[in-house]
Amino acid sequence: MGGFRSSGRATGAPDPAQYHSDRHRSGRGRDGCAGAGDRRWTARVLHRRRNQPEAGIVILLADVGNSRIKWVSSERGEFQMRGRAAHGEESWGELANRLWMDLPRPARVSIVSVAGPEVDAVLADWISRTWAIEAEFVVSTAVACDVRNSYAEPERMGADRWVAMIAARALLGPRTCYVVDCGTAVTIDALAANGQHLGGVIVPGMRLMREALYRQTRRIPPETGEARLFGQSTRDCVWGGALYAVASAIDGIVDRMIARHGPGARLLTGGAAEVVLPCLQSDYRLEPDLIFAGLRVIAGVCTDA
């Protein structure tokens, strides 16, 4: 199975899945965009009726970031239980214990992680000791699932970016697309209709922008503010500045990519996506489960091209 840093492979892998989303929202530069996080969208994975996976086969899909874990369980092509938690004072092992100890034992665990090898080792050890299975960590490769990596050293690409592009390819088919992931950092990747990754950019996310101001200035305290276009306090100006800087960067960079390569679908995902979306000037398709959809594809469908 290309793209996994694991030799373990459970039997009964699911049949090729088609990712479906019923969310398609547009920003169009509305004011009051900071309140967008109150809305919720749902996603599901639809599987083909022939060759369905055996009933009861559960795959745990996990997205491990620098400061948090998000996870879903997938059974018979449907996302079931899900959860998320920030990594605070507790260790990663304690966090896994709190999140997963009471879950039914999965047949497989598929993880995309950007938290580093030490965190990966802790999670792999917990999964092995608790469930007696080997965790499968996604590794970026030169080619997988009809997507071709542009990096000279493919393994150096963040696995979350790789998984998001694989999901976009499975979702849209042979169409040009621009994949934006809003998290601790904001990544923007261009994927051609033939599956070739054209390249991308990485910029600081909103929290990193605010923290840089707090660290490098003496008169801006680290206070929670309200993100407004016309801020009337320092804290609101900082929060609004970070939000609109990210939104403007996304719009401007994607527009420049389109001017160079041509039009395509614009996909938006990541923990801050719902907050940023209403501030964007162009139409973006919100896909909050894009990473999980990509993990699902890799775990059950993907073969190297």
Side-chain angles (χ1 to χ4, degrees):
M1 175 61 66
F4 274 128
R5 180 165 26 97
S6 168
S7 59
R9 175 66 189 271
T11 59
D15 191 66
Q18 178 183 3
Y19 182 62
H20 171 78
S21 167
D22 57 6
R23 303 162 314 281
H24 191 176
R25 297 296 179 107
S26 169
R28 292 298 185 192
R30 295 187 296 271
D31 289 334
C33 59
D38 294 336
R39 292 193 290 271
R40 295 292 181 267
W41 290 264
T42 59
R44 65 184 183 276
V45 173
L46 302 179
H47 57 81
R48 296 178 182 174
R49 294 191 178 278
R50 60 183 179 85
N51 299 327
Q52 291 182 354
E54 181 182 350
I57 297 297
V58 177
I59 303 176
L60 181 69
L61 309 174
D63 177 8
V64 182
N66 293 298
S67 59
R68 55 94 183 105
I69 293 180
K70 296 189 296 183
W71 62 270
V72 299
S73 63
S74 177
E75 183 176 6
R76 296 181 63 88
E78 296 286 342
F79 290 158
Q80 305 289 340
M81 296 179 292
R82 66 173 63 220
R84 66 174 65 196
H87 174 240
E89 297 298 325
E90 59 189 336
S91 69
W92 285 97
E94 291 170 338
L95 184 59
N97 199 61
R98 175 163 63 87
L99 289 177
W100 296 338
M101 178 58 76
D102 294 332
L103 294 181
R105 179 185 180 276
R108 297 170 62 189
V109 178
S110 176
I111 299 174
V112 58
S113 172
V114 296
E118 292 183 359
V119 173
D120 294 352
V122 170
L123 295 177
D125 179 68
W126 188 95
I127 290 165
S128 176
R129 288 186 294 101
T130 305
W131 290 325
I133 56 178
E134 185 177 4
E136 301 167 352
F137 289 85
V138 175
V139 178
S140 300
T141 55
V143 182
C145 302
D146 201 31
V147 177
R148 295 187 297 280
N149 200 323
S150 68
Y151 276 30
E153 300 176 86
E155 69 280 0
R156 294 179 66 88
M157 174 182 283
D160 53 346
R161 294 170 62 195
W162 185 237
V163 170
M165 285 191 287
I166 287 172
R169 183 70 172 179
L171 171 63
L172 299 173
R175 293 176 56 192
T176 297
C177 64
Y178 302 91
V179 182
V180 182
D181 191 338
C182 295
T184 302
V186 177
T187 62
I188 305 173
D189 286 289
L191 188 64
N194 64 1
Q196 177 63 51
H197 175 232
L198 301 173
V201 300
I202 303 173
V203 298
M206 292 183 290
R207 180 172 60 83
L208 291 182
M209 290 185 183
R210 294 193 301 265
E211 289 178 350
L213 282 173
Y214 300 149
R215 286 195 308 268
Q216 300 300 323
T217 59
R218 295 183 178 181
R219 299 183 64 85
I220 300 182
E223 299 175 332
T224 300
E226 184 175 348
R228 297 177 176 179
L229 184 59
F230 298 98
Q232 296 180 342
S233 67
T234 298
R235 61 177 178 270
D236 288 354
C237 289
V238 169
W239 281 68
L243 173 58
Y244 282 98
V246 166
S248 298
I250 292 171
D251 274 328
I253 291 168
V254 174
D255 284 347
R256 287 170 181 260
M257 288 179 170
I258 288 174
R260 291 282 299 273
H261 183 72
R266 305 179 190 221
L267 302 185
L268 184 68
T269 192
E274 294 181 19
V275 176
V276 173
L277 177 64
C279 300
L280 298 172
Q281 296 295 315
S282 298
D283 291 342
Y284 287 79
R285 178 168 172 166
L286 181 65
E287 295 290 343
D289 283 337
L290 195 65
I291 294 295
F292 294 136
L295 284 173
R296 175 70 172 162
V297 171
I298 294 171
V301 180
C302 181
T303 57
D304 290 345

